[in-house]
Amino acid sequence: MNLRRAPLTPYHAPHGAPVKPAPLAAVLAALLLAVLTALAPPAAAAQEQVVRGGDVIYSSTGRSCPVGFNAGRGGERYALMQGHCVGDSGAVWYADAARTVEIGRTGGVSFPVSDYALIRYNNPDFTYPSELASGVPGGAIEITGAAQPSVGQQVCRAGRTTGVHCGTVVSVNETISYPEGTVYGLFRATLCVEPGDSASAYSGGTALGLLVSGSPCSSGGTAFYQPVVPVLAAYGLTIP
């Protein structure tokens, strides 16, 4: 078992004078607008509100953290997240930085020893698909299951800052020391992480890990991850 100190953790119309219409023209324009409004088809529904892996949500404690992966249990949906980022166990979570649209409550936090947290979604106006935001519009990555990582396995991460990068799992059962304590059972991969990248690890459509810490791309990139399978098992969750 290798004991390491934590590397850099990313995070936690041209102008012109308007033409004033004559009074009669203004009346006719208003009548035409009323007729067109009455004849118009119903407005299209607002764009679907979605929270995917990689999307940032906002806590009542002032924190903002990226969703790692979405998971489920029965008819309930949950976010798997970084324990060191979520912090407090009693937080309310919001979809917007102004903290006006509640979407969930913290269901559990483990840090140190492990590094994960669970948010139970509670807003039925949103959907919570088993997908990762890729950083490319319309390019969400579907996640269909979870597995334990193995040395030599190809692993990728998707970030809003730098898009998709891939590397290799180089070791498992790694340990990192933080001021708060030690985190065990991590795996290490040749992946770089920049600020704004959520960087959850996956292989194909399989979820592998939640980011614990990582180094920037300029230094070549090494990242440490909390395996997802033990988190799912602890709460009886599945992906999707």
Side-chain angles (χ1 to χ4, degrees), residues 5-100:
R5 292 194 178 275
L8 173 67
T9 301
Y11 359 149
H12 315 213
H15 296 290
V19 178
K20 184 177 180 180
L24 179 58
V27 172
L28 292 175
L31 289 174
L32 178 60
L33 176 61
V35 171
L36 292 176
T37 300
L39 294 177
Q47 186 175 2
E48 185 180 25
Q49 296 172 293
V50 179
V51 177
R52 297 181 174 88
D55 290 341
V56 174
I57 59 177
Y58 304 86
S59 168
S60 56
T61 66
R63 296 171 181 251
S64 57
C65 301
V67 174
F69 295 98
N70 285 335
R73 182 176 63 203
E76 299 176 337
R77 296 295 287 165
Y78 296 84
L80 306 183
M81 300 178 65
Q82 304 160 321
H84 71 266
C85 187
V86 170
D88 302 299
S89 59
V92 178
W93 291 85
Y94 301 87
D96 60 320
R99 292 166 172 79
T100 60

Side-chain angles (χ1 to χ4, degrees), residues 37-172:
T37 300
L39 294 177
Q47 186 175 2
E48 185 180 25
Q49 296 172 293
V50 179
V51 177
R52 297 181 174 88
D55 290 341
V56 174
I57 59 177
Y58 304 86
S59 168
S60 56
T61 66
R63 296 171 181 251
S64 57
C65 301
V67 174
F69 295 98
N70 285 335
R73 182 176 63 203
E76 299 176 337
R77 296 295 287 165
Y78 296 84
L80 306 183
M81 300 178 65
Q82 304 160 321
H84 71 266
C85 187
V86 170
D88 302 299
S89 59
V92 178
W93 291 85
Y94 301 87
D96 60 320
R99 292 166 172 79
T100 60
V101 182
E102 181 179 336
I103 57 167
R105 303 286 177 109
T106 303
V109 179
S110 179
F111 178 79
V113 180
S114 299
D115 191 359
Y116 62 81
L118 187 72
I119 308 300
R120 182 181 181 274
Y121 292 123
N122 61 10
N123 189 331
D125 294 331
F126 281 72
T127 58
Y128 312 97
S130 185
E131 296 176 345
L132 294 176
S134 68
V136 178
I141 299 161
E142 184 179 10
I143 301 297
T144 58
Q148 287 282 74
S150 59
V151 174
Q153 180 178 13
Q154 185 188 59
V155 60
C156 300
R157 59 84 169 160
R160 290 190 176 278
T161 301
T162 57
V164 175
H165 282 243
C166 295
T168 304
V169 176
V170 295
S171 60
V172 297

Side-chain angles (χ1 to χ4, degrees), residues 1-7 111-115 170-189 212-213 222-227:
M1 180 180 294
N2 300 320
L3 180 63
R4 302 172 183 271
R5 292 194 178 275
F111 178 79
V113 180
S114 299
D115 191 359
V170 295
S171 60
V172 297
N173 200 29
E174 291 274 2
T175 300
I176 289 183
S177 177
Y178 282 93
E180 298 89 342
T182 303
V183 180
Y184 302 92
L186 307 177
F187 70 90
R188 181 164 59 99
V212 173
S213 64
T222 295
F224 292 81
Y225 290 89
Q226 162 71 54

